[in-house]
Amino acid sequence: MENFLIKQEAYLEAGIHIGTKMKVVDMNQFIYRMRNDGLYVLDLRKIDERIRMAAKILAKYEPKEILVVASRTYSGNAASVFSELTGIGVFQGRFIPGILTNVSRADFVEPKLLIICDPKGERQAVIEAGNMGIPAIGLCDSDNITMFIDWVIPCNNKGRRSLALIFYLLSREYMMAKNKIASYDEFTKPLSDFEMEKEDVEAAKAAAAAATQPEGAQVPAEEPAAEAEPAEETAPAEAAEKPSHKEEHASKKKKEKKE
């Protein structure tokens, strides 16, 4: 029996196996048990096997032939890092009808393989893929219907950490299969990057770069703009040279006294 792709504890901490309080017949084979609180628990062994096989399926295609559909924020964040590492395209946000079927659309695409992050929220993409004969890998929770999904990855497809871990593993396994890395040690992208939004990742990189600077080194600051000269620069000087009205009056009185 093969070992897990990652430590079992990492799967459990990410909550990748926690389903919903609903289940459909399609997902029965992937359900391990129901908890006392009514949540269905997915089979961890099957999750691992399915992610492993999904990566092998992906490796049969070139990056430009694959498209990830990610309508939710958490799936979009993780998928964008996956895209950065693998070169596989990502469609984020609401999937507009006709993207896979209407050749007259400016955003029409013809992928040879689709990755669906939420079969319920991305139903339009699933239907169009089925109509066009495009095979689809789907991240499916306990309540997802799997029609037109050719390879099911049972998982918690709503959680930030769960989705991050799935795309982390898919990235690593795909890169291994494509000989982009020779070992897991060469895969240096931290799991935390898959959890954060792009802006947060950039901010973290900037902070890390600043932390690696030699002690005492200062980041060059922008030179302050030259101070604007006073509008009436000579006014004070003129005022100093020319006695005031009071001073003139006092001087005149003094003269009169002397006389």
Side-chain angles (χ1 to χ4, degrees):
M1 187 177 287
E2 290 181 306
N3 294 325
F4 282 139
L5 290 169
I6 199 167
K7 288 182 180 179
Q8 184 173 331
E9 291 76 14
Y11 276 138
L12 298 174
E13 287 172 8
I16 198 172
H17 62 306
I18 304 299
T20 68
K21 290 187 176 182
M22 293 180 62
K23 73 169 180 174
V24 294
V25 175
D26 299 11
M27 294 298 292
N28 268 343
Q29 60 177 311
F30 304 113
I31 304 289
Y32 178 64
R33 67 182 180 90
M34 186 179 74
R35 297 194 324 192
N36 292 335
D37 59 3
L39 286 172
Y40 286 99
V41 177
L42 300 164
D43 190 324
L44 207 55
R45 172 62 62 184
K46 290 183 178 179
I47 292 172
D48 185 84
E49 289 172 354
R50 290 268 162 166
I51 292 175
R52 188 190 303 273
M53 190 61 193
K56 290 178 180 177
I57 294 170
L58 290 171
K60 294 178 180 178
Y61 297 83
E62 292 305 312
K64 64 181 180 180
E65 297 176 326
I66 307 170
L67 179 67
V68 180
V69 179
S71 60
R72 294 173 179 266
T73 301
Y74 291 157
S75 59
N77 294 342
S80 63
V81 181
F82 171 74
S83 175
E84 176 192 323
L85 294 170
T86 63
I88 292 171
V90 179
F91 184 93
Q92 290 184 255
R94 180 174 173 268
F95 191 88
I96 310 298
I99 289 177
L100 299 179
T101 56
N102 188 349
V103 294
S104 62
R105 288 186 61 93
D107 55 359
F108 172 75
V109 289
E110 293 183 278
K112 293 184 178 179
L113 179 66
L114 220 57
I115 300 177
I116 300 293
C117 295
D118 176 16
K120 188 182 290 183
E122 294 145 17
R123 194 64 192 160
Q124 182 62 36
V126 174
I127 292 170
E128 290 191 18
N131 291 338
M132 298 302 291
I134 302 169
I137 293 172
L139 309 185
C140 300
D141 213 326
S142 62
D143 60 348
N144 285 142
I145 295 170
T146 62
M147 183 183 294
F148 297 133
I149 301 294
D150 300 277
W151 187 255
V152 171
I153 298 178
C155 64
N156 171 359
N157 64 6
K158 301 170 187 66
R160 173 175 56 85
R161 297 181 68 188
S162 172
L163 288 161
L165 183 55
I166 291 167
F167 278 104
Y168 171 88
L169 293 172
L170 288 176
S171 299
R172 190 188 68 185
E173 296 304 307
Y174 182 81
M175 291 176 75
M176 279 284 288
K178 287 291 190 180
N179 297 316
K180 291 186 176 183
I181 56 173
S183 68
Y184 287 170
D185 292 335
E186 292 182 21
F187 188 77
T188 56
K189 196 73 169 175
L191 176 58
S192 58
D193 278 11
F194 289 81
E195 297 179 18
M196 297 189 288
E197 292 189 27
K198 192 172 182 181
E199 293 77 8
D200 296 332
V201 173
E202 295 302 323
K205 284 181 182 177
T212 57
Q213 287 190 344
E215 194 174 338
Q218 294 184 351
V219 178
E222 290 184 7
E223 291 185 8
E227 292 183 9
E229 295 183 357
E232 297 181 6
E233 189 179 359
T234 58
E238 288 174 1
E241 291 171 7
K242 187 176 179 181
S244 67
H245 179 68
K246 283 185 178 179
E247 286 174 342
E248 282 181 0
H249 184 67
S251 177
K252 195 174 180 182
K253 263 191 162 186
K254 202 173 179 183
K255 268 187 175 183
E256 287 173 357
K257 279 183 181 179
K258 281 184 180 179
E259 289 174 359

